[in-house]
Amino acid sequence: MASRGYEAARIMEAGNLKGGGGGGLGKEVHHGHGRTAHNMSSSSLRKKSDLSLVSKVRCSLLRALLANLQEIFLGTKLFVLFPAVPLAIAANYFHFGRAWLFALSLLGLTPLAERVSFLTEQIAFYTGPTVGGLLNATCGNATELIIALFALRQGKIEVVKCSLVGSVLSNLLLVLGSSLFLGGLANLHKEQLYDRKQADVNTGLLLLGALCHILLLMFRYAVNTGEKAVDAAPTLALSRACSIIMLLAYVAYLFFQLKTHRQLFESQEEDGDDDDDVVSEDEPVIGFASALIWLVGMTVVIALLSEYVVGTIEDITLGVSLGSATQISMFVVPLSVIVAWIMGIKMDLDLKLLETSSLIMAILVIAFTLQDGTSHYLKGLVPLLCYLAIGACFFVFDSPTDLNGITDQNNGIDAGGLTTTAAVTKSY
Amino acid sequence: MASMGYEAARRLEAGNPKGGAGSRTAHGHGHGHGRTAHNMSSSSLRKKSDLSLLSKVRCGLLRTILTNLQEIFLGTKLFILFPAVPLAIAANYLHFGRAWLFALSLLGLTPLAERVSFLTEQIAYYTGPTVGGLLNATCGNATELIIALFALHRGKIEVVKCSLVGSILSNLLLVLGSSLFLGGIANLHKEQSFDRKQADVNTGLLLLGALCHILLLAFEHAVSSGEQAPDAAPRLWLSRACSIVMLLAYVAYLFFQLKTHRQLFESEEEEDDDTDDAVAQDEAVIGFPSALAWLLGMTAVIAILSEYVVATIEAASDSWGISVSFISIILLPIVGNAAEHAGAIIFAFKNKLDITLGVSLGSATQISMFVVPLSVIVAWIMGIKMDLDLELLETGSLFMAILITAFTLQDGTSHYLKGLVPLLCYLAIGACFFVSKSPAKTNAYGRLILSSIPTH
């Protein structure tokens, strides 16, 4: 979703902005101080709110309310997509075509997700770095998580698996690839560097996740071909054990990022970055209570739209960058397995052969691409083309229609087609 | 086994202290000169022998013998495990439970393997660097090799394959992971770096070994799915050819380490290394004939205990309710590597990661490129049909483990998360083998049943 990209380093930004409740630090002071990737990334989509119009309103309560609304709804360049939200709800009740419902819900989710990211960032000002970081880490994938949980509840396990894999793939290949490619073209004769330690941490965790999936796949294959014998059907127990291991790794990763090695994740500052359009994020712009209320409200709307999305399509892909891929792989996936366990649904970590091999190859490609700390446009083009190849594969891939619970084949578009379409729509 | 880790760079240490028989160079003299990873790692488990008590014994001959004994048996912190050796032998003759025999034999192997490493190191003082290095390289894996040969002899090919794969996995993921993890936590705010060239050499060789296994697996799959025409001979032939290739690579690796690029493998010395407990390894502490005699004797005892282990593995599996493959892949290597594991962790605590890497990676390389192909060749000589084809799960785990280790080590720095990831990978792989069992039948060419009693 829109906000996903921000989530990649959002965790860290919470650590830096120790603004505290309402402490108005001068904009210039903390200008370059510990602004993280998330910080800078999200600010590129914000608009400085021009409060001059609102300040003409005489009644102060009304003015506060309108200022609040303006911050929330007009504070992003994506606000043009906001009308999709009520339209989607209307489409559900007036029984527009299912495809319309799907498209409108997707469009509506985009600005909502971005606003959720903004709100969690605002809340982080009040709660301090660690809680703020944790909040960001969890809420950042709120949309994925909500979609996954709804799909689970409806028993559409394959949708969950495919959407999560697709998310990781699009994060790793599509977003990263296109960014590196376009960035490389734009900076054709400059040296492009980055700190590879951060990439290494993420790559290591992604490989751990991939190992768990591969183990499951090989295990199932070995049992089927008679290489190994099992007492009962331990694939489920094994998946659950691996999910717990992955969650442990995720907790350690959070601890690593937020506490002990925070300096690895802070980005380089440059003073020439701020122009008129970018909001300096050193102080909260809305109150804590207000932020919390909006956050809850928007999450509810996201849940609603997600329900429409899940109800209307087979596969969803969403996503943005490397940190996001790690979060999805090491947090959302094992959490889904655990939640399914609690719900009594038999979800395991076993993706199919095609998905698992695509995943491992994508991780390998990215790991090699990022391993030396420099970049150029060809480094972006390679993952991008990989994504096209994988997309083509899934486009022609026809899922059998008797997968648990998946029976809608809306408008004759098959699962693979929807994966590719959704991915392209969602990622920007 | 215990000594394996030391062997990783043991070869080099032999080159430096050319003490010669009985010449006593001052302790401080060659102190920092070319002390290798092995040297330092093994010294962490040694104890300086306190000879004051013995010097009171009047008879000179008795004193010498007792000194000798004290060096041998009490010279390691693992000496508490020594009683397991006679207990295991007693267990065999008094017909204790087979599972007991298995457990006691395993425990007894640990200090024995460590002592063998100590003895080869002592002998290396007398024989000079190259022979010493080669001796260390070969004897370092004595325990693994002996267990493998006994298992081959009894036709338990799966045990051989599983225990060797398990040894590699345990070295790469468990030993390395736990060392980096604990070392990272202990040195939380220090910069932890190591020389990645050594890691690269080992990783390259491990990948070659993995390639051979994968080729075998893919070949078998291609044959069974009809891509390649089935032919009875090639699989075994292919395994033997790959084994020769792997042994060639190993010889080249030895040449690289001992002759041309020795400087890559020597660790940095620091003068503050020696605490009261670490023995300065610049001179031999026992005589050459004595060391040789003890070496042969201990190897014989190792052989006896290995025989017990191999014979009772199924009984232990039945009695404890876990599969033979789990015991071979997980339990055997953990117990066997215990001493080297402890050494690696201790050096990670001291932020000497080059030693940790030398111990764990070097050990993995030796098993993969030496013990495995050697087993195939020896099986060939024995007329036993062993091939390099591990099964899908083992091969996949091996390949992923090598990849993850390679990526972890590729930038030359470390922190605790870099250790936690391989450790968790090992847990996941362990869980996988815990729930799987080998089917109790003969399934394909070259895969014999483990025992006549079906396991669960």
Side-chain angles (χ1 to χ4, degrees), chain A residues 102 106 162 313-317 387 390-399 409-425:
Chain A
F102 165 61
L106 275 190
C162 290
I313 68 159
E314 314 305 298
D315 291 63
I316 311 165
T317 56
Y387 190 77
I390 293 177
C393 205
F394 282 107
F395 190 77
V396 299
F397 176 57
D398 219 331
S399 303
Q409 290 278 352
N410 299 305
N411 303 324
I413 308 172
D414 64 40
L418 284 165
T419 312
T420 327
T421 322
V424 172
T425 322

PDB file of all heavy atoms in Angstrom, chain A residues 102 106 162 313-317 387 390-399 409-425:
ATOM      1  N   PHE A 102     -13.784  -4.222  -6.313  1.00  0.00           N
ATOM      2  CA  PHE A 102     -12.374  -4.555  -6.092  1.00  0.00           C
ATOM      3  C   PHE A 102     -11.487  -3.346  -6.380  1.00  0.00           C
ATOM      4  O   PHE A 102     -10.635  -2.965  -5.571  1.00  0.00           O
ATOM      5  CB  PHE A 102     -12.010  -5.748  -6.978  1.00  0.00           C
ATOM      6  CG  PHE A 102     -10.535  -5.963  -7.125  1.00  0.00           C
ATOM      7  CD1 PHE A 102      -9.741  -6.242  -6.021  1.00  0.00           C
ATOM      8  CD2 PHE A 102      -9.913  -5.887  -8.367  1.00  0.00           C
ATOM      9  CE1 PHE A 102      -8.380  -6.439  -6.161  1.00  0.00           C
ATOM     10  CE2 PHE A 102      -8.566  -6.082  -8.512  1.00  0.00           C
ATOM     11  CZ  PHE A 102      -7.799  -6.357  -7.409  1.00  0.00           C
ATOM     12  N   LEU A 106      -9.323  -1.137  -3.638  1.00  0.00           N
ATOM     13  CA  LEU A 106      -7.872  -1.010  -3.727  1.00  0.00           C
ATOM     14  C   LEU A 106      -7.444   0.443  -3.742  1.00  0.00           C
ATOM     15  O   LEU A 106      -6.538   0.856  -3.034  1.00  0.00           O
ATOM     16  CB  LEU A 106      -7.342  -1.709  -4.978  1.00  0.00           C
ATOM     17  CG  LEU A 106      -7.058  -3.204  -4.899  1.00  0.00           C
ATOM     18  CD1 LEU A 106      -6.317  -3.634  -6.135  1.00  0.00           C
ATOM     19  CD2 LEU A 106      -6.267  -3.539  -3.661  1.00  0.00           C
ATOM     20  N   CYS A 162      -0.479 -16.683  -1.121  1.00  0.00           N
ATOM     21  CA  CYS A 162      -0.072 -16.030  -2.361  1.00  0.00           C
ATOM     22  C   CYS A 162       0.099 -14.536  -2.152  1.00  0.00           C
ATOM     23  O   CYS A 162       1.042 -13.940  -2.670  1.00  0.00           O
ATOM     24  CB  CYS A 162      -1.110 -16.270  -3.454  1.00  0.00           C
ATOM     25  SG  CYS A 162      -1.156 -17.966  -4.015  1.00  0.00           S
ATOM     26  N   ILE A 313     -11.380 -10.881  -4.827  1.00  0.00           N
ATOM     27  CA  ILE A 313     -10.308 -11.366  -5.703  1.00  0.00           C
ATOM     28  C   ILE A 313      -9.623 -12.602  -5.129  1.00  0.00           C
ATOM     29  O   ILE A 313      -9.803 -12.959  -3.991  1.00  0.00           O
ATOM     30  CB  ILE A 313      -9.229 -10.306  -5.955  1.00  0.00           C
ATOM     31  CG1 ILE A 313      -8.446 -10.032  -4.665  1.00  0.00           C
ATOM     32  CG2 ILE A 313      -9.829  -9.044  -6.479  1.00  0.00           C
ATOM     33  CD1 ILE A 313      -7.114  -9.419  -4.954  1.00  0.00           C
ATOM     34  N   GLU A 314      -8.835 -13.232  -5.934  1.00  0.00           N
ATOM     35  CA  GLU A 314      -8.112 -14.410  -5.498  1.00  0.00           C
ATOM     36  C   GLU A 314      -6.781 -14.048  -4.862  1.00  0.00           C
ATOM     37  O   GLU A 314      -6.371 -14.633  -3.896  1.00  0.00           O
ATOM     38  CB  GLU A 314      -7.836 -15.354  -6.670  1.00  0.00           C
ATOM     39  CG  GLU A 314      -9.017 -15.590  -7.551  1.00  0.00           C
ATOM     40  CD  GLU A 314     -10.202 -16.077  -6.765  1.00  0.00           C
ATOM     41  OE1 GLU A 314     -10.104 -17.147  -6.176  1.00  0.00           O
ATOM     42  OE2 GLU A 314     -11.222 -15.371  -6.735  1.00  0.00           O
ATOM     43  N   ASP A 315      -6.093 -13.144  -5.444  1.00  0.00           N
ATOM     44  CA  ASP A 315      -4.750 -12.844  -4.961  1.00  0.00           C
ATOM     45  C   ASP A 315      -4.548 -11.349  -4.820  1.00  0.00           C
ATOM     46  O   ASP A 315      -5.130 -10.577  -5.548  1.00  0.00           O
ATOM     47  CB  ASP A 315      -3.709 -13.344  -5.951  1.00  0.00           C
ATOM     48  CG  ASP A 315      -3.673 -14.839  -5.991  1.00  0.00           C
ATOM     49  OD1 ASP A 315      -4.690 -15.433  -6.381  1.00  0.00           O
ATOM     50  OD2 ASP A 315      -2.680 -15.417  -5.611  1.00  0.00           O
ATOM     51  N   ILE A 316      -3.786 -11.008  -3.860  1.00  0.00           N
ATOM     52  CA  ILE A 316      -3.500  -9.593  -3.666  1.00  0.00           C
ATOM     53  C   ILE A 316      -2.001  -9.447  -3.589  1.00  0.00           C
ATOM     54  O   ILE A 316      -1.339 -10.227  -2.939  1.00  0.00           O
ATOM     55  CB  ILE A 316      -4.065  -9.108  -2.326  1.00  0.00           C
ATOM     56  CG1 ILE A 316      -5.499  -9.545  -2.164  1.00  0.00           C
ATOM     57  CG2 ILE A 316      -3.912  -7.624  -2.193  1.00  0.00           C
ATOM     58  CD1 ILE A 316      -5.970  -9.405  -0.750  1.00  0.00           C
ATOM     59  N   THR A 317      -1.471  -8.473  -4.198  1.00  0.00           N
ATOM     60  CA  THR A 317      -0.085  -8.167  -3.891  1.00  0.00           C
ATOM     61  C   THR A 317       0.064  -6.695  -3.599  1.00  0.00           C
ATOM     62  O   THR A 317      -0.585  -5.867  -4.197  1.00  0.00           O
ATOM     63  CB  THR A 317       0.866  -8.502  -5.042  1.00  0.00           C
ATOM     64  OG1 THR A 317       0.430  -7.821  -6.184  1.00  0.00           O
ATOM     65  CG2 THR A 317       0.938  -9.962  -5.282  1.00  0.00           C
ATOM     66  N   TYR A 387      11.253  -9.585 -11.928  1.00  0.00           N
ATOM     67  CA  TYR A 387       9.857  -9.502 -11.527  1.00  0.00           C
ATOM     68  C   TYR A 387       8.940  -9.727 -12.730  1.00  0.00           C
ATOM     69  O   TYR A 387       7.919 -10.406 -12.629  1.00  0.00           O
ATOM     70  CB  TYR A 387       9.577  -8.136 -10.900  1.00  0.00           C
ATOM     71  CG  TYR A 387       8.232  -8.066 -10.253  1.00  0.00           C
ATOM     72  CD1 TYR A 387       8.011  -8.652  -9.016  1.00  0.00           C
ATOM     73  CD2 TYR A 387       7.164  -7.452 -10.887  1.00  0.00           C
ATOM     74  CE1 TYR A 387       6.775  -8.615  -8.419  1.00  0.00           C
ATOM     75  CE2 TYR A 387       5.920  -7.409 -10.294  1.00  0.00           C
ATOM     76  CZ  TYR A 387       5.735  -7.989  -9.060  1.00  0.00           C
ATOM     77  OH  TYR A 387       4.509  -7.954  -8.467  1.00  0.00           O
ATOM     78  N   ILE A 390       8.861 -13.444 -13.392  1.00  0.00           N
ATOM     79  CA  ILE A 390       8.033 -14.157 -12.417  1.00  0.00           C
ATOM     80  C   ILE A 390       6.562 -13.834 -12.654  1.00  0.00           C
ATOM     81  O   ILE A 390       5.688 -14.707 -12.597  1.00  0.00           O
ATOM     82  CB  ILE A 390       8.450 -13.792 -10.977  1.00  0.00           C
ATOM     83  CG1 ILE A 390       9.858 -14.317 -10.697  1.00  0.00           C
ATOM     84  CG2 ILE A 390       7.470 -14.327  -9.968  1.00  0.00           C
ATOM     85  CD1 ILE A 390      10.381 -13.942  -9.335  1.00  0.00           C
ATOM     86  N   GLY A 391       6.302 -12.571 -12.950  1.00  0.00           N
ATOM     87  CA  GLY A 391       4.928 -12.169 -13.209  1.00  0.00           C
ATOM     88  C   GLY A 391       4.348 -12.897 -14.403  1.00  0.00           C
ATOM     89  O   GLY A 391       3.211 -13.369 -14.378  1.00  0.00           O
ATOM     90  N   ALA A 392       5.164 -13.012 -15.467  1.00  0.00           N
ATOM     91  CA  ALA A 392       4.700 -13.728 -16.656  1.00  0.00           C
ATOM     92  C   ALA A 392       4.370 -15.170 -16.305  1.00  0.00           C
ATOM     93  O   ALA A 392       3.368 -15.735 -16.760  1.00  0.00           O
ATOM     94  CB  ALA A 392       5.782 -13.674 -17.736  1.00  0.00           C
ATOM     95  N   CYS A 393       5.220 -15.750 -15.467  1.00  0.00           N
ATOM     96  CA  CYS A 393       5.002 -17.128 -15.043  1.00  0.00           C
ATOM     97  C   CYS A 393       3.673 -17.285 -14.346  1.00  0.00           C
ATOM     98  O   CYS A 393       2.888 -18.176 -14.645  1.00  0.00           O
ATOM     99  CB  CYS A 393       6.147 -17.510 -14.102  1.00  0.00           C
ATOM    100  SG  CYS A 393       6.444 -19.242 -14.037  1.00  0.00           S
ATOM    101  N   PHE A 394       3.411 -16.396 -13.393  1.00  0.00           N
ATOM    102  CA  PHE A 394       2.157 -16.502 -12.667  1.00  0.00           C
ATOM    103  C   PHE A 394       0.971 -16.089 -13.504  1.00  0.00           C
ATOM    104  O   PHE A 394      -0.156 -16.498 -13.235  1.00  0.00           O
ATOM    105  CB  PHE A 394       2.215 -15.669 -11.386  1.00  0.00           C
ATOM    106  CG  PHE A 394       2.984 -16.345 -10.296  1.00  0.00           C
ATOM    107  CD1 PHE A 394       4.236 -15.899  -9.946  1.00  0.00           C
ATOM    108  CD2 PHE A 394       2.455 -17.441  -9.640  1.00  0.00           C
ATOM    109  CE1 PHE A 394       4.951 -16.526  -8.946  1.00  0.00           C
ATOM    110  CE2 PHE A 394       3.164 -18.076  -8.652  1.00  0.00           C
ATOM    111  CZ  PHE A 394       4.413 -17.615  -8.298  1.00  0.00           C
ATOM    112  N   PHE A 395       1.215 -15.261 -14.503  1.00  0.00           N
ATOM    113  CA  PHE A 395       0.112 -14.808 -15.334  1.00  0.00           C
ATOM    114  C   PHE A 395      -0.511 -15.976 -16.089  1.00  0.00           C
ATOM    115  O   PHE A 395      -1.726 -16.077 -16.206  1.00  0.00           O
ATOM    116  CB  PHE A 395       0.609 -13.740 -16.315  1.00  0.00           C
ATOM    117  CG  PHE A 395      -0.486 -13.044 -17.047  1.00  0.00           C
ATOM    118  CD1 PHE A 395      -1.229 -12.065 -16.415  1.00  0.00           C
ATOM    119  CD2 PHE A 395      -0.784 -13.357 -18.365  1.00  0.00           C
ATOM    120  CE1 PHE A 395      -2.255 -11.404 -17.078  1.00  0.00           C
ATOM    121  CE2 PHE A 395      -1.800 -12.699 -19.038  1.00  0.00           C
ATOM    122  CZ  PHE A 395      -2.538 -11.725 -18.394  1.00  0.00           C
ATOM    123  N   VAL A 396       0.352 -16.858 -16.570  1.00  0.00           N
ATOM    124  CA  VAL A 396      -0.185 -17.976 -17.329  1.00  0.00           C
ATOM    125  C   VAL A 396      -0.474 -19.176 -16.456  1.00  0.00           C
ATOM    126  O   VAL A 396      -1.005 -20.179 -16.903  1.00  0.00           O
ATOM    127  CB  VAL A 396       0.791 -18.418 -18.447  1.00  0.00           C
ATOM    128  CG1 VAL A 396       1.003 -17.285 -19.407  1.00  0.00           C
ATOM    129  CG2 VAL A 396       2.114 -18.883 -17.874  1.00  0.00           C
ATOM    130  N   PHE A 397      -0.148 -19.050 -15.184  1.00  0.00           N
ATOM    131  CA  PHE A 397      -0.311 -20.156 -14.262  1.00  0.00           C
ATOM    132  C   PHE A 397      -1.761 -20.206 -13.829  1.00  0.00           C
ATOM    133  O   PHE A 397      -2.304 -19.262 -13.319  1.00  0.00           O
ATOM    134  CB  PHE A 397       0.621 -19.919 -13.080  1.00  0.00           C
ATOM    135  CG  PHE A 397       0.514 -20.929 -11.998  1.00  0.00           C
ATOM    136  CD1 PHE A 397       0.713 -22.274 -12.258  1.00  0.00           C
ATOM    137  CD2 PHE A 397       0.269 -20.534 -10.705  1.00  0.00           C
ATOM    138  CE1 PHE A 397       0.649 -23.202 -11.244  1.00  0.00           C
ATOM    139  CE2 PHE A 397       0.201 -21.461  -9.687  1.00  0.00           C
ATOM    140  CZ  PHE A 397       0.390 -22.794  -9.953  1.00  0.00           C
ATOM    141  N   ASP A 398      -2.384 -21.345 -14.017  1.00  0.00           N
ATOM    142  CA  ASP A 398      -3.794 -21.460 -13.709  1.00  0.00           C
ATOM    143  C   ASP A 398      -3.971 -22.242 -12.432  1.00  0.00           C
ATOM    144  O   ASP A 398      -3.680 -23.432 -12.386  1.00  0.00           O
ATOM    145  CB  ASP A 398      -4.484 -22.188 -14.857  1.00  0.00           C
ATOM    146  CG  ASP A 398      -5.825 -21.593 -15.152  1.00  0.00           C
ATOM    147  OD1 ASP A 398      -6.424 -21.051 -14.210  1.00  0.00           O
ATOM    148  OD2 ASP A 398      -6.270 -21.681 -16.299  1.00  0.00           O
ATOM    149  N   SER A 399      -4.419 -21.598 -11.371  1.00  0.00           N
ATOM    150  CA  SER A 399      -4.631 -22.348 -10.138  1.00  0.00           C
ATOM    151  C   SER A 399      -5.825 -23.262 -10.303  1.00  0.00           C
ATOM    152  O   SER A 399      -6.828 -22.862 -10.876  1.00  0.00           O
ATOM    153  CB  SER A 399      -4.911 -21.401  -8.975  1.00  0.00           C
ATOM    154  OG  SER A 399      -3.865 -20.492  -8.834  1.00  0.00           O
ATOM    155  N   GLN A 409     -14.281 -16.848  -9.718  1.00  0.00           N
ATOM    156  CA  GLN A 409     -13.368 -16.523 -10.813  1.00  0.00           C
ATOM    157  C   GLN A 409     -14.006 -15.312 -11.473  1.00  0.00           C
ATOM    158  O   GLN A 409     -14.737 -15.429 -12.447  1.00  0.00           O
ATOM    159  CB  GLN A 409     -13.283 -17.679 -11.819  1.00  0.00           C
ATOM    160  CG  GLN A 409     -12.569 -18.913 -11.289  1.00  0.00           C
ATOM    161  CD  GLN A 409     -11.056 -18.773 -11.391  1.00  0.00           C
ATOM    162  OE1 GLN A 409     -10.564 -17.828 -11.980  1.00  0.00           O
ATOM    163  NE2 GLN A 409     -10.348 -19.708 -10.792  1.00  0.00           N
ATOM    164  N   ASN A 410     -13.757 -14.166 -10.862  1.00  0.00           N
ATOM    165  CA  ASN A 410     -14.511 -12.994 -11.303  1.00  0.00           C
ATOM    166  C   ASN A 410     -14.154 -12.561 -12.692  1.00  0.00           C
ATOM    167  O   ASN A 410     -12.993 -12.379 -13.025  1.00  0.00           O
ATOM    168  CB  ASN A 410     -14.244 -11.832 -10.342  1.00  0.00           C
ATOM    169  CG  ASN A 410     -14.706 -12.214  -8.961  1.00  0.00           C
ATOM    170  OD1 ASN A 410     -15.853 -12.580  -8.784  1.00  0.00           O
ATOM    171  ND2 ASN A 410     -13.816 -12.183  -8.014  1.00  0.00           N
ATOM    172  N   ASN A 411     -15.140 -12.377 -13.468  1.00  0.00           N
ATOM    173  CA  ASN A 411     -14.978 -11.849 -14.817  1.00  0.00           C
ATOM    174  C   ASN A 411     -13.932 -12.607 -15.626  1.00  0.00           C
ATOM    175  O   ASN A 411     -13.264 -12.040 -16.473  1.00  0.00           O
ATOM    176  CB  ASN A 411     -14.585 -10.363 -14.779  1.00  0.00           C
ATOM    177  CG  ASN A 411     -15.617  -9.578 -14.024  1.00  0.00           C
ATOM    178  OD1 ASN A 411     -16.800  -9.865 -14.103  1.00  0.00           O
ATOM    179  ND2 ASN A 411     -15.172  -8.608 -13.268  1.00  0.00           N
ATOM    180  N   GLY A 412     -13.773 -13.861 -15.326  1.00  0.00           N
ATOM    181  CA  GLY A 412     -12.895 -14.690 -16.136  1.00  0.00           C
ATOM    182  C   GLY A 412     -11.411 -14.412 -15.967  1.00  0.00           C
ATOM    183  O   GLY A 412     -10.576 -14.943 -16.683  1.00  0.00           O
ATOM    184  N   ILE A 413     -11.059 -13.563 -14.999  1.00  0.00           N
ATOM    185  CA  ILE A 413      -9.632 -13.318 -14.811  1.00  0.00           C
ATOM    186  C   ILE A 413      -9.110 -14.358 -13.841  1.00  0.00           C
ATOM    187  O   ILE A 413      -9.665 -14.557 -12.780  1.00  0.00           O
ATOM    188  CB  ILE A 413      -9.391 -11.926 -14.196  1.00  0.00           C
ATOM    189  CG1 ILE A 413     -10.126 -10.873 -15.016  1.00  0.00           C
ATOM    190  CG2 ILE A 413      -7.915 -11.624 -14.140  1.00  0.00           C
ATOM    191  CD1 ILE A 413     -10.094  -9.512 -14.355  1.00  0.00           C
ATOM    192  N   ASP A 414      -8.039 -15.037 -14.212  1.00  0.00           N
ATOM    193  CA  ASP A 414      -7.567 -16.070 -13.299  1.00  0.00           C
ATOM    194  C   ASP A 414      -6.677 -15.494 -12.213  1.00  0.00           C
ATOM    195  O   ASP A 414      -6.296 -14.340 -12.251  1.00  0.00           O
ATOM    196  CB  ASP A 414      -6.869 -17.196 -14.057  1.00  0.00           C
ATOM    197  CG  ASP A 414      -5.610 -16.704 -14.746  1.00  0.00           C
ATOM    198  OD1 ASP A 414      -4.867 -15.890 -14.151  1.00  0.00           O
ATOM    199  OD2 ASP A 414      -5.388 -17.113 -15.882  1.00  0.00           O
ATOM    200  N   ALA A 415      -6.322 -16.343 -11.298  1.00  0.00           N
ATOM    201  CA  ALA A 415      -5.584 -15.913 -10.112  1.00  0.00           C
ATOM    202  C   ALA A 415      -4.285 -15.223 -10.471  1.00  0.00           C
ATOM    203  O   ALA A 415      -3.949 -14.171  -9.958  1.00  0.00           O
ATOM    204  CB  ALA A 415      -5.310 -17.112  -9.217  1.00  0.00           C
ATOM    205  N   GLY A 416      -3.593 -15.829 -11.401  1.00  0.00           N
ATOM    206  CA  GLY A 416      -2.283 -15.282 -11.735  1.00  0.00           C
ATOM    207  C   GLY A 416      -2.398 -13.890 -12.313  1.00  0.00           C
ATOM    208  O   GLY A 416      -1.657 -12.978 -11.996  1.00  0.00           O
ATOM    209  N   GLY A 417      -3.430 -13.730 -13.160  1.00  0.00           N
ATOM    210  CA  GLY A 417      -3.614 -12.432 -13.775  1.00  0.00           C
ATOM    211  C   GLY A 417      -3.874 -11.364 -12.744  1.00  0.00           C
ATOM    212  O   GLY A 417      -3.380 -10.252 -12.827  1.00  0.00           O
ATOM    213  N   LEU A 418      -4.668 -11.761 -11.737  1.00  0.00           N
ATOM    214  CA  LEU A 418      -4.994 -10.786 -10.720  1.00  0.00           C
ATOM    215  C   LEU A 418      -3.784 -10.430  -9.888  1.00  0.00           C
ATOM    216  O   LEU A 418      -3.631  -9.294  -9.457  1.00  0.00           O
ATOM    217  CB  LEU A 418      -6.118 -11.320  -9.820  1.00  0.00           C
ATOM    218  CG  LEU A 418      -7.485 -11.247 -10.490  1.00  0.00           C
ATOM    219  CD1 LEU A 418      -8.487 -12.099  -9.763  1.00  0.00           C
ATOM    220  CD2 LEU A 418      -7.954  -9.812 -10.543  1.00  0.00           C
ATOM    221  N   THR A 419      -2.918 -11.433  -9.645  1.00  0.00           N
ATOM    222  CA  THR A 419      -1.711 -11.129  -8.899  1.00  0.00           C
ATOM    223  C   THR A 419      -0.919 -10.040  -9.588  1.00  0.00           C
ATOM    224  O   THR A 419      -0.530  -9.055  -8.990  1.00  0.00           O
ATOM    225  CB  THR A 419      -0.815 -12.378  -8.803  1.00  0.00           C
ATOM    226  OG1 THR A 419      -1.586 -13.477  -8.395  1.00  0.00           O
ATOM    227  CG2 THR A 419       0.317 -12.141  -7.840  1.00  0.00           C
ATOM    228  N   THR A 420      -0.696 -10.253 -10.894  1.00  0.00           N
ATOM    229  CA  THR A 420       0.123  -9.306 -11.633  1.00  0.00           C
ATOM    230  C   THR A 420      -0.545  -7.947 -11.691  1.00  0.00           C
ATOM    231  O   THR A 420       0.088  -6.922 -11.462  1.00  0.00           O
ATOM    232  CB  THR A 420       0.324  -9.827 -13.064  1.00  0.00           C
ATOM    233  OG1 THR A 420       0.363 -11.244 -13.029  1.00  0.00           O
ATOM    234  CG2 THR A 420       1.596  -9.279 -13.640  1.00  0.00           C
ATOM    235  N   THR A 421      -1.831  -7.946 -11.985  1.00  0.00           N
ATOM    236  CA  THR A 421      -2.543  -6.678 -12.108  1.00  0.00           C
ATOM    237  C   THR A 421      -2.515  -5.907 -10.805  1.00  0.00           C
ATOM    238  O   THR A 421      -2.185  -4.728 -10.770  1.00  0.00           O
ATOM    239  CB  THR A 421      -4.021  -6.912 -12.484  1.00  0.00           C
ATOM    240  OG1 THR A 421      -4.105  -7.979 -13.393  1.00  0.00           O
ATOM    241  CG2 THR A 421      -4.630  -5.665 -13.045  1.00  0.00           C
ATOM    242  N   ALA A 422      -2.857  -6.594  -9.751  1.00  0.00           N
ATOM    243  CA  ALA A 422      -2.895  -5.934  -8.451  1.00  0.00           C
ATOM    244  C   ALA A 422      -1.535  -5.401  -8.076  1.00  0.00           C
ATOM    245  O   ALA A 422      -1.408  -4.303  -7.543  1.00  0.00           O
ATOM    246  CB  ALA A 422      -3.395  -6.920  -7.397  1.00  0.00           C
ATOM    247  N   ALA A 423      -0.509  -6.176  -8.375  1.00  0.00           N
ATOM    248  CA  ALA A 423       0.842  -5.745  -8.017  1.00  0.00           C
ATOM    249  C   ALA A 423       1.190  -4.452  -8.711  1.00  0.00           C
ATOM    250  O   ALA A 423       1.689  -3.512  -8.115  1.00  0.00           O
ATOM    251  CB  ALA A 423       1.846  -6.821  -8.398  1.00  0.00           C
ATOM    252  N   VAL A 424       0.891  -4.406 -10.012  1.00  0.00           N
ATOM    253  CA  VAL A 424       1.254  -3.217 -10.762  1.00  0.00           C
ATOM    254  C   VAL A 424       0.457  -2.019 -10.288  1.00  0.00           C
ATOM    255  O   VAL A 424       0.963  -0.915 -10.181  1.00  0.00           O
ATOM    256  CB  VAL A 424       1.042  -3.457 -12.273  1.00  0.00           C
ATOM    257  CG1 VAL A 424       1.231  -2.177 -13.045  1.00  0.00           C
ATOM    258  CG2 VAL A 424       2.015  -4.514 -12.762  1.00  0.00           C
ATOM    259  N   THR A 425      -0.824  -2.256  -9.962  1.00  0.00           N
ATOM    260  CA  THR A 425      -1.646  -1.153  -9.498  1.00  0.00           C
ATOM    261  C   THR A 425      -1.174  -0.623  -8.159  1.00  0.00           C
ATOM    262  O   THR A 425      -1.110   0.571  -7.926  1.00  0.00           O
ATOM    263  CB  THR A 425      -3.113  -1.611  -9.307  1.00  0.00           C
ATOM    264  OG1 THR A 425      -3.456  -2.508 -10.340  1.00  0.00           O
ATOM    265  CG2 THR A 425      -4.039  -0.422  -9.284  1.00  0.00           C
TER     266      THR A 425
END
